[in-house]
Amino acid sequence: MGSATTTTTTTTATIPVTVDGQTIEVKPGTTVLEAARMLKISIPTLCHHSAVEAYGACRVCMTEIEVRGKKRMVTACNFPIREPLAVFAESDATKRQRRGVLSMMLARWPNVPAIQTLAKRYGVQNPGYKHPLRNEAPDACILCGLCVKACSEMVWEDVIAFAGRGARRRVAMPFGKQSERCTGCGTCAYICPTGAIKVADEKNNPVDPARIRKYGFRLTKEMATLDDSQCKMRRVGTAHLVEIMDAYDLLPTHNYKFGKHAEIARISSPVWTSLVRQNVPDGCWVGCQMSCAKAVDDFVPRTGPYKGRKVLVDGPEYETVASCGSNIGVFEPHDIIELNFYCDTYGIDTISFGTACAFAMECYEAGVLDKRKTGGLDLKFGNATAALELLHHMSRGEGFGVLVGQGIRQMKRIFAERFGGDPKFLHDIGMEAKGLEYSEYVSKESLAQQAGYAMAQKGPQHDEAWLIFMDMVNKQLPTFEKKAEALYYFPMWRTWFGLMGLCKLPWNDVEPEDNAKWPEPNKVPGHVEGYENFLSGMIGGDFKIQDILKMSERVYNFQRVFAIRMGHGRREDDRGPYRAMGPVTAEEYESRAERYDGQLKELVKVDPAGKSTAQKMALLRQYREEQYEGVLDAVYKRRGWTRNGTPTPETLKGLGIDYPWVVEVVKARMAEEGSA
Ligand code: SF4
Ligand code: SF4
Ligand code: FES
């Protein structure tokens, strides 16, 4: 293109294009094929697919265009429009070119249906001569290159490539052998227009592999085309969430006191993008191309048994950045990675460690602990060296590490009994429920997430219900009933992933382009459909979401009955610490006084003017705790449980799990709570 074209491109927002007499305005760079398709005018293709970059191999899309009075032939699939032009999609010259191409293809691959169809469309008969490379197979490779492009651009693997020349040109793996790098995703087989590639080894032995591959391809295509503009799982990983959480005041800092921090830039995604490597599929699920997990190569720890040696660190994920970073006041990426590494090495969960360490640090700063009690550790927020030392102590079962290693529930008891800590304060700031440490979101402004955490059967992780954006940011759950419905649907849906051993990331970390057009887009219906097809294709049948929810509901109710049988599963077990619901300290209240004062006025209908911080905190707390009880009531009702959180015999019967011993357990609990 000449400079005149460049000038047009930079000064014109859209460019007029005429295709067979119809005019349309297109963005610069739109291809001739795309412009024609916008006008519903068909141009034949063989080597083109919207999921990969066009490169013009087959030439069946040859089309006549006219630019500045001059006519010429171009490959429509990859010719970018930079200036006004006319397209003649079915002119004599266009047809002549396509016939010539198709005639040669038909001579070489006479029985490939995709070629036969196009040949028929252009009136091309089987040519009279015998092509020297004639291949009679209906599933012959026509060297279109789509599989090579797909493996490279969609799957990021580059396992297959063209090899050989002339008659020997073919698609092959390196050295003609099965490559270990092939994930078996089947993307190449799915995109192949002739069926030349067959997936030989269906490891899971599915009933209907084609049905599964169809939805797998759709997901792979979405990952390839939408992830960069949505979740950036492939290029950044989950760590891209850190700055988003900070922006919405959700990033736990200093034991969940606050939701953002002035030093956020030091632990934001550009830092992790520069440090992590290995943007390759994780291999946790055959064929998944999400590449969500990242790793740091050649990391050199400054402490512990691997001090000074190069190691590989798997991570960090965003919740590790929060738990081993902001929540303990650490903003040095190297220290976060080192804590991540040693947690993994010692088999300690980074979230549980970080949350427990944050609790100990707050106790230290509040005077519940001192150096004598911590064995010399100066556990101030931000002291990464002390945090690392604590982690090493935990791993060796030494000193103060023995106490922290028992988790927050035990620390609360021990700190009160042995160190004179105020049990109420310890309970308010100890971020655990059901004995498990909290995951890394500040849930103070989301009633639904507070319940999502504290009601989760196995403790406060958002594996069951991640409602914080839906509730707090998008305001999609304004009533108790809406929250209760979400706290019914999402835990059942997400429990099913665990039951099936499936990952939930392909459900909503990348959403279909048209997701907003579906009813209830927060459920990502297009992807729910994918899971329905996956299950049906894997084990046979035709499962729908209602069947899936029912499976989970049975297990979920069983889990509750087991908890009851073990002496748990009461309403009080479904309440979290107040730090998860609101400001425990004056420092927290005053840091967001405008927000809280506003809520007192609008929601509690109390004028905060003239009231002390302590008075305002008490009023806000009373309101929030009452709201929480309201959510518990609504959720229990929706789940068919009593006010104390016990599944009723009718609920068990409706689910088909009213076995005598199960009913006996719930009846005993109901008698105890007086609801029998
Ligand atoms: S199965 Fe997937 S990874 Fe293997 S060659 Fe095909 S596209 Fe590439
Ligand atoms: S195997 Fe299929 S997709 Fe790959 S080049 Fe041959 S015809 Fe095209
Ligand atoms: S479709 Fe355009 S060159 Fe193949």
Side-chain angles (χ1 to χ4, degrees), residues 147 150-151 155 157 159-160 173 181-189 289:
C147 54
C151 187
V155 187
E157 283 293 358
V159 174
I160 45 179
M173 287 193 179
R181 282 185 39 222
C182 173
T183 64
C185 66
T187 304
C188 52
Q289 307 309 323

PDB file of all heavy atoms in Angstrom, residues 147 150-151 155 157 159-160 173 181-189 289, ligand 1:
ATOM      1  N   CYS A 147      -4.704 -26.815  10.747  1.00  0.00           N
ATOM      2  CA  CYS A 147      -4.302 -27.537  11.962  1.00  0.00           C
ATOM      3  C   CYS A 147      -3.010 -26.962  12.534  1.00  0.00           C
ATOM      4  O   CYS A 147      -2.866 -26.811  13.749  1.00  0.00           O
ATOM      5  CB  CYS A 147      -4.133 -29.020  11.662  1.00  0.00           C
ATOM      6  SG  CYS A 147      -3.007 -29.356  10.303  1.00  0.00           S
ATOM      7  N   ALA A 150      -3.812 -23.660  14.115  1.00  0.00           N
ATOM      8  CA  ALA A 150      -4.604 -23.813  15.343  1.00  0.00           C
ATOM      9  C   ALA A 150      -3.724 -24.281  16.497  1.00  0.00           C
ATOM     10  O   ALA A 150      -3.826 -23.777  17.619  1.00  0.00           O
ATOM     11  CB  ALA A 150      -5.743 -24.799  15.124  1.00  0.00           C
ATOM     12  N   CYS A 151      -2.845 -25.235  16.224  1.00  0.00           N
ATOM     13  CA  CYS A 151      -1.989 -25.739  17.300  1.00  0.00           C
ATOM     14  C   CYS A 151      -1.072 -24.621  17.806  1.00  0.00           C
ATOM     15  O   CYS A 151      -0.813 -24.502  19.005  1.00  0.00           O
ATOM     16  CB  CYS A 151      -1.153 -26.916  16.806  1.00  0.00           C
ATOM     17  SG  CYS A 151      -0.216 -27.718  18.117  1.00  0.00           S
ATOM     18  N   VAL A 155      -3.652 -23.122  20.656  1.00  0.00           N
ATOM     19  CA  VAL A 155      -3.213 -24.026  21.724  1.00  0.00           C
ATOM     20  C   VAL A 155      -1.861 -23.612  22.301  1.00  0.00           C
ATOM     21  O   VAL A 155      -1.497 -24.003  23.389  1.00  0.00           O
ATOM     22  CB  VAL A 155      -3.160 -25.478  21.193  1.00  0.00           C
ATOM     23  CG1 VAL A 155      -2.886 -26.472  22.287  1.00  0.00           C
ATOM     24  CG2 VAL A 155      -4.454 -25.842  20.488  1.00  0.00           C
ATOM     25  N   GLU A 157       1.043 -24.445  21.280  1.00  0.00           N
ATOM     26  CA  GLU A 157       1.950 -25.575  21.450  1.00  0.00           C
ATOM     27  C   GLU A 157       2.941 -25.767  20.303  1.00  0.00           C
ATOM     28  O   GLU A 157       4.040 -26.236  20.519  1.00  0.00           O
ATOM     29  CB  GLU A 157       1.148 -26.878  21.649  1.00  0.00           C
ATOM     30  CG  GLU A 157       0.565 -27.027  23.044  1.00  0.00           C
ATOM     31  CD  GLU A 157       1.616 -27.204  24.125  1.00  0.00           C
ATOM     32  OE1 GLU A 157       2.798 -27.244  23.811  1.00  0.00           O
ATOM     33  OE2 GLU A 157       1.251 -27.276  25.298  1.00  0.00           O
ATOM     34  N   VAL A 159       3.050 -28.008  18.059  1.00  0.00           N
ATOM     35  CA  VAL A 159       3.454 -29.420  18.026  1.00  0.00           C
ATOM     36  C   VAL A 159       3.592 -29.904  16.585  1.00  0.00           C
ATOM     37  O   VAL A 159       4.481 -30.690  16.271  1.00  0.00           O
ATOM     38  CB  VAL A 159       2.426 -30.303  18.767  1.00  0.00           C
ATOM     39  CG1 VAL A 159       2.773 -31.784  18.616  1.00  0.00           C
ATOM     40  CG2 VAL A 159       2.366 -29.925  20.237  1.00  0.00           C
ATOM     41  N   ILE A 160       2.703 -29.423  15.713  1.00  0.00           N
ATOM     42  CA  ILE A 160       2.711 -29.915  14.331  1.00  0.00           C
ATOM     43  C   ILE A 160       3.152 -28.813  13.371  1.00  0.00           C
ATOM     44  O   ILE A 160       2.980 -27.629  13.654  1.00  0.00           O
ATOM     45  CB  ILE A 160       1.318 -30.450  13.918  1.00  0.00           C
ATOM     46  CG1 ILE A 160       0.219 -29.491  14.371  1.00  0.00           C
ATOM     47  CG2 ILE A 160       1.097 -31.844  14.463  1.00  0.00           C
ATOM     48  CD1 ILE A 160      -1.175 -29.914  13.981  1.00  0.00           C
ATOM     49  N   MET A 173       4.481 -34.308  13.109  1.00  0.00           N
ATOM     50  CA  MET A 173       5.070 -33.950  14.391  1.00  0.00           C
ATOM     51  C   MET A 173       6.594 -34.063  14.254  1.00  0.00           C
ATOM     52  O   MET A 173       7.080 -34.714  13.320  1.00  0.00           O
ATOM     53  CB  MET A 173       4.570 -34.894  15.490  1.00  0.00           C
ATOM     54  CG  MET A 173       3.133 -34.617  15.877  1.00  0.00           C
ATOM     55  SD  MET A 173       2.664 -35.451  17.378  1.00  0.00           S
ATOM     56  CE  MET A 173       0.981 -34.903  17.554  1.00  0.00           C
ATOM     57  N   ARG A 181       4.711 -33.176  23.750  1.00  0.00           N
ATOM     58  CA  ARG A 181       4.098 -31.865  23.995  1.00  0.00           C
ATOM     59  C   ARG A 181       2.658 -31.796  23.514  1.00  0.00           C
ATOM     60  O   ARG A 181       1.941 -30.855  23.823  1.00  0.00           O
ATOM     61  CB  ARG A 181       4.934 -30.775  23.332  1.00  0.00           C
ATOM     62  CG  ARG A 181       6.164 -30.459  24.160  1.00  0.00           C
ATOM     63  CD  ARG A 181       6.953 -29.296  23.597  1.00  0.00           C
ATOM     64  NE  ARG A 181       6.131 -28.238  23.083  1.00  0.00           N
ATOM     65  CZ  ARG A 181       6.384 -27.589  21.947  1.00  0.00           C
ATOM     66  NH1 ARG A 181       7.423 -27.911  21.231  1.00  0.00           N
ATOM     67  NH2 ARG A 181       5.597 -26.623  21.542  1.00  0.00           N
ATOM     68  N   CYS A 182       2.239 -32.766  22.736  1.00  0.00           N
ATOM     69  CA  CYS A 182       0.847 -32.778  22.281  1.00  0.00           C
ATOM     70  C   CYS A 182      -0.046 -33.093  23.488  1.00  0.00           C
ATOM     71  O   CYS A 182       0.093 -34.119  24.124  1.00  0.00           O
ATOM     72  CB  CYS A 182       0.647 -33.830  21.196  1.00  0.00           C
ATOM     73  SG  CYS A 182      -1.087 -34.028  20.757  1.00  0.00           S
ATOM     74  N   THR A 183      -0.975 -32.160  23.786  1.00  0.00           N
ATOM     75  CA  THR A 183      -1.837 -32.353  24.954  1.00  0.00           C
ATOM     76  C   THR A 183      -3.026 -33.241  24.635  1.00  0.00           C
ATOM     77  O   THR A 183      -3.829 -33.538  25.516  1.00  0.00           O
ATOM     78  CB  THR A 183      -2.375 -31.002  25.454  1.00  0.00           C
ATOM     79  OG1 THR A 183      -3.212 -30.448  24.437  1.00  0.00           O
ATOM     80  CG2 THR A 183      -1.255 -30.040  25.805  1.00  0.00           C
ATOM     81  N   GLY A 184      -3.175 -33.601  23.365  1.00  0.00           N
ATOM     82  CA  GLY A 184      -4.324 -34.422  22.984  1.00  0.00           C
ATOM     83  C   GLY A 184      -5.617 -33.639  22.992  1.00  0.00           C
ATOM     84  O   GLY A 184      -6.697 -34.207  23.134  1.00  0.00           O
ATOM     85  N   CYS A 185      -5.510 -32.307  22.826  1.00  0.00           N
ATOM     86  CA  CYS A 185      -6.713 -31.472  22.945  1.00  0.00           C
ATOM     87  C   CYS A 185      -7.683 -31.700  21.784  1.00  0.00           C
ATOM     88  O   CYS A 185      -8.868 -31.428  21.905  1.00  0.00           O
ATOM     89  CB  CYS A 185      -6.336 -29.999  23.016  1.00  0.00           C
ATOM     90  SG  CYS A 185      -5.588 -29.360  21.501  1.00  0.00           S
ATOM     91  N   GLY A 186      -7.172 -32.161  20.657  1.00  0.00           N
ATOM     92  CA  GLY A 186      -8.047 -32.441  19.517  1.00  0.00           C
ATOM     93  C   GLY A 186      -8.435 -31.212  18.719  1.00  0.00           C
ATOM     94  O   GLY A 186      -9.242 -31.285  17.794  1.00  0.00           O
ATOM     95  N   THR A 187      -7.840 -30.060  19.033  1.00  0.00           N
ATOM     96  CA  THR A 187      -8.184 -28.838  18.301  1.00  0.00           C
ATOM     97  C   THR A 187      -7.851 -28.984  16.821  1.00  0.00           C
ATOM     98  O   THR A 187      -8.626 -28.570  15.954  1.00  0.00           O
ATOM     99  CB  THR A 187      -7.422 -27.643  18.910  1.00  0.00           C
ATOM    100  OG1 THR A 187      -7.743 -27.579  20.291  1.00  0.00           O
ATOM    101  CG2 THR A 187      -7.787 -26.336  18.237  1.00  0.00           C
ATOM    102  N   CYS A 188      -6.704 -29.593  16.529  1.00  0.00           N
ATOM    103  CA  CYS A 188      -6.295 -29.766  15.131  1.00  0.00           C
ATOM    104  C   CYS A 188      -7.293 -30.650  14.390  1.00  0.00           C
ATOM    105  O   CYS A 188      -7.674 -30.363  13.249  1.00  0.00           O
ATOM    106  CB  CYS A 188      -4.895 -30.376  15.072  1.00  0.00           C
ATOM    107  SG  CYS A 188      -4.722 -31.868  16.065  1.00  0.00           S
ATOM    108  N   ALA A 189      -7.749 -31.711  15.080  1.00  0.00           N
ATOM    109  CA  ALA A 189      -8.701 -32.631  14.442  1.00  0.00           C
ATOM    110  C   ALA A 189     -10.030 -31.935  14.193  1.00  0.00           C
ATOM    111  O   ALA A 189     -10.674 -32.123  13.167  1.00  0.00           O
ATOM    112  CB  ALA A 189      -8.905 -33.861  15.324  1.00  0.00           C
ATOM    113  N   GLN A 289      -6.615 -25.510  27.448  1.00  0.00           N
ATOM    114  CA  GLN A 289      -5.594 -24.572  26.981  1.00  0.00           C
ATOM    115  C   GLN A 289      -5.550 -23.302  27.807  1.00  0.00           C
ATOM    116  O   GLN A 289      -4.998 -22.304  27.395  1.00  0.00           O
ATOM    117  CB  GLN A 289      -5.860 -24.216  25.504  1.00  0.00           C
ATOM    118  CG  GLN A 289      -6.004 -25.396  24.612  1.00  0.00           C
ATOM    119  CD  GLN A 289      -4.859 -26.368  24.782  1.00  0.00           C
ATOM    120  OE1 GLN A 289      -3.718 -25.970  24.975  1.00  0.00           O
ATOM    121  NE2 GLN A 289      -5.155 -27.662  24.733  1.00  0.00           N
TER     122      GLN A 289
HETATM  123  S1  SF4 B   1      -4.021 -32.375  19.710  1.00  0.00           S
HETATM  124 FE1  SF4 B   1      -3.789 -30.208  20.343  1.00  0.00          FE
HETATM  125  S2  SF4 B   1      -1.651 -30.053  21.045  1.00  0.00           S
HETATM  126 FE2  SF4 B   1      -1.806 -31.972  19.859  1.00  0.00          FE
HETATM  127  S3  SF4 B   1      -1.182 -31.412  17.777  1.00  0.00           S
HETATM  128 FE3  SF4 B   1      -3.429 -31.223  17.874  1.00  0.00          FE
HETATM  129  S4  SF4 B   1      -3.800 -29.043  18.425  1.00  0.00           S
HETATM  130 FE4  SF4 B   1      -1.640 -29.489  18.866  1.00  0.00          FE
END
